[in-house]
Amino acid sequence: MIGVEEITKLVREIRLENGFPNSPFRIDEVRYNPEGDKLFIIAHDRTDKSVVIGNSFVIGKLKERLGVRQVTVYSNLDLEIKRRKLRKNVELVKGTALEFLLPIIEAELNFPPRKWPEVEGDLKTLVFLSFNAKALLGFAERLNLPYEAVGIRYAFPKMKYEPIEGEPIEVLFPDEEKLLNLAKERKAKLVLADFPFDLKFKDGIALLNPFRFLHIGFFELKYLFGFEKPVVYDKKALVDFVIDLTYEGLMESTDGANLIWRMWRR
């Protein structure tokens, strides 16, 4: 498969042909995964990554030239941040009911590419359909978790779930105490939602945002599980939500700006 020198040459050609400045950049590694026809470019740092992506234009042209289904760019810094977070989270789940996540963490430590083993998560779970609703359900199903899905009434009209009362802001910032009490009522030991934190244990119940926990960004989630935009949400809270994800390195600033623009246009 094509290597670092060839990709570097192609990126320079595309930038030159389309009027982009001749900015220097360094690519450390190229990995190809035939499963799904995916090419992973690992740039040296975030500045190099930005040059290769070129506001999504350069990477789009690169994908066309190579004839692959997906091209994704990471920086070594991004991957090192992810690995440090994962190593810390190994210690958080050891000896707990969430030990079934350890093989998934191990797989993510070797990312890219992503190769999750089969996992049986035998833990009664409550899934709250928040912003990444489709991915939350996909995660529960991929890990074979016995789950119930609940969500704010009318927020996701195309999806099947039990509607509960709540405020539009909860689609972006779930009410931790409300979900904890609901989990107690239903004897669930795990709650999945777009919490603004990785993992908390309260009253014997695990509150988990699996994507912060595994450090999987918004762009990757769309490819993994798809994305269904909520139709009920707080517009101002959306801005705060996107800023938080961008700060955590889980969303590109351009993706965040485009997302806000598209959702506010509705």
Side-chain angles (χ1 to χ4, degrees):
M1 185 59 190
I2 195 163
V4 170
E5 289 184 8
E6 292 86 352
I7 293 292
T8 301
K9 183 181 177 182
L10 269 175
V11 170
R12 286 193 177 122
E13 286 177 1
I14 292 167
R15 290 183 66 87
L16 182 64
E17 290 166 5
N18 293 279
F20 285 83
N22 186 25
S23 304
F25 65 95
R26 175 176 161 189
I27 294 172
D28 288 345
E29 190 179 353
V30 175
R31 302 179 190 177
Y32 176 70
N33 181 19
E35 295 176 24
D37 192 23
K38 299 174 184 178
L39 186 76
F40 301 95
I41 299 171
I42 301 174
H44 186 64
D45 62 26
R46 285 175 174 167
T47 303
D48 300 308
K49 173 183 170 181
S50 296
V51 174
V52 176
I53 292 173
N55 292 329
S56 298
F57 182 88
V58 174
I59 203 70
K61 289 291 183 182
L62 188 61
K63 177 182 166 183
E64 288 177 16
R65 294 273 188 97
L66 295 172
V68 295
R69 191 179 72 83
Q70 182 182 332
V71 177
T72 310
V73 186
Y74 298 93
S75 74
N76 262 321
L77 177 61
D78 292 330
L79 294 176
E80 181 55 30
I81 289 170
K82 178 183 176 80
R83 287 189 288 264
R84 287 181 185 180
K85 193 164 198 173
L86 291 169
R87 291 186 195 108
K88 179 198 76 175
N89 288 343
V90 165
E91 301 307 315
L92 289 180
V93 300
K94 276 185 178 178
T96 75
L98 298 186
E99 273 199 331
F100 66 89
L101 290 174
L102 289 174
I104 303 298
I105 296 173
E106 184 63 35
E108 286 294 305
L109 280 166
N110 296 312
F111 174 83
R114 177 169 286 110
K115 294 184 178 181
W116 286 5
E118 286 299 318
V119 170
E120 291 289 337
D122 187 19
L123 198 64
K124 190 170 182 182
T125 302
L126 182 72
V127 179
F128 176 69
L129 299 195
S130 34
F131 183 76
N132 286 300
K134 207 162 186 179
L136 289 164
L137 290 176
F139 181 82
E141 289 167 4
R142 180 67 179 78
L143 271 63
N144 298 296
L145 289 163
Y147 72 88
E148 294 179 50
V150 300
I152 301 301
R153 193 179 300 275
Y154 309 124
F156 297 95
K158 295 180 182 178
M159 302 179 73
K160 292 182 179 179
Y161 63 95
E162 179 186 336
I164 59 174
E165 296 303 322
E167 299 299 320
I169 194 172
E170 292 173 42
V171 172
L172 298 157
F173 293 97
D175 187 321
E176 182 181 329
E177 290 303 317
K178 177 194 286 186
L179 294 177
L180 185 65
N181 290 331
L182 191 58
K184 289 175 182 176
E185 289 174 15
R186 304 190 180 202
K187 301 191 181 336
K189 292 299 180 182
L190 172 63
V191 180
L192 299 181
D194 280 294
F195 293 117
F197 51 81
D198 292 10
L199 172 64
K200 283 185 185 179
F201 289 97
K202 294 184 75 172
D203 300 334
I205 296 171
L207 306 175
L208 175 69
N209 181 332
F211 316 125
R212 283 181 180 267
F213 183 82
L214 296 170
H215 203 75
I216 301 176
F218 175 73
F219 176 82
E220 296 172 72
L221 289 179
K222 286 198 298 183
Y223 276 96
L224 278 173
F225 301 113
F227 177 66
E228 186 72 35
K229 288 196 287 279
V231 299
V232 173
Y233 62 93
D234 184 294
K235 283 189 173 183
K236 290 182 180 178
L238 176 64
V239 176
D240 292 334
F241 180 82
V242 167
I243 289 171
D244 284 353
L245 288 185
T246 304
Y247 178 77
E248 292 288 332
L250 296 173
M251 183 180 284
E252 294 293 332
S253 56
T254 50
D255 289 340
N258 287 334
L259 182 68
I260 291 168
W261 182 75
R262 289 198 306 270
M263 291 182 68
W264 275 29
R265 284 183 69 203
R266 284 187 162 190

